[in-house]
Amino acid sequence: MNAEYPHWQTVPLRWKDNDVYGHVNNVVHYSVMDTVINTWLIERGGLDIETGGVIGLCVESQCKYHASVSFPGELEVGLRVGHLGRSSVRYEVGMYSKETVIAEGRFVHVFVDRESRRPVPVEGLLRGALEELRAGLG
């Protein structure tokens, strides 16, 4: 695993992830990014997705594909914060299989008030968790 990413999560591939061409479909890569990011936010950042006053909305995502992968298998997914602003964060994600880079992605969240949908400052436990990913302390 690459030391450039302070957090790693293993994501098993599923039979349904393969497309008719016999490899993991491109939309699965976006789902994997979303899953790894939100797992971190819930477990380490205290994000309450059901009743919390603050939620993260995806405003941008991007993925570059380098190699193919297919079921059965798993992805080793690295996560870091490339930029942490007042109310937004840009995550950088690396997806690997057996030391081969499969894809690299970016994902931007803006944190907003659940009711008003207006941006709010990233504070407290959430900011601390994101700082860990930025500082490489994860």
Side-chain angles (χ1 to χ4, degrees), residues 19-125:
D19 62 19
V20 297
Y21 301 115
H23 62 81
V24 170
N25 189 271
N26 61 313
V27 299
V28 173
H29 297 85
Y30 285 93
S31 179
V32 166
M33 283 193 288
D34 198 21
T35 297
V36 169
I37 291 165
N38 282 292
T39 298
W40 175 268
L41 293 174
I42 292 165
E43 292 179 355
R44 299 289 294 269
L47 187 67
D48 179 350
I49 60 171
E50 294 175 7
T51 61
V54 173
I55 59 173
L57 299 180
C58 176
V59 297
E60 178 184 338
S61 60
Q62 167 189 338
C63 194
K64 292 183 184 179
Y65 304 96
H66 300 286
S68 181
V69 66
S70 60
F71 174 88
E74 59 190 19
L75 290 174
E76 296 295 332
V77 183
L79 177 63
R80 68 181 173 219
V81 166
H83 176 75
L84 179 57
R86 181 184 157 289
S87 61
S88 66
V89 60
R90 184 186 73 238
Y91 308 95
E92 298 171 354
V93 181
M95 291 169 255
Y96 294 77
S97 177
K98 299 176 184 164
E99 304 296 321
T100 299
V101 63
I102 302 302
E104 295 173 291
R106 292 173 27 143
F107 197 97
V108 178
H109 264 155
V110 172
F111 290 93
V112 300
D113 178 84
R114 179 183 295 273
E115 298 303 319
S116 72
R117 296 297 204 255
R118 300 294 306 151
V120 296
V122 179
E123 300 175 324
L125 185 61

Side-chain angles (χ1 to χ4, degrees), residues 5-18:
Y5 296 98
H7 174 70
W8 288 90
Q9 183 175 330
T10 302
V11 177
L13 297 172
R14 304 160 305 170
W15 171 252
K16 73 177 192 169
D17 294 338
N18 283 358

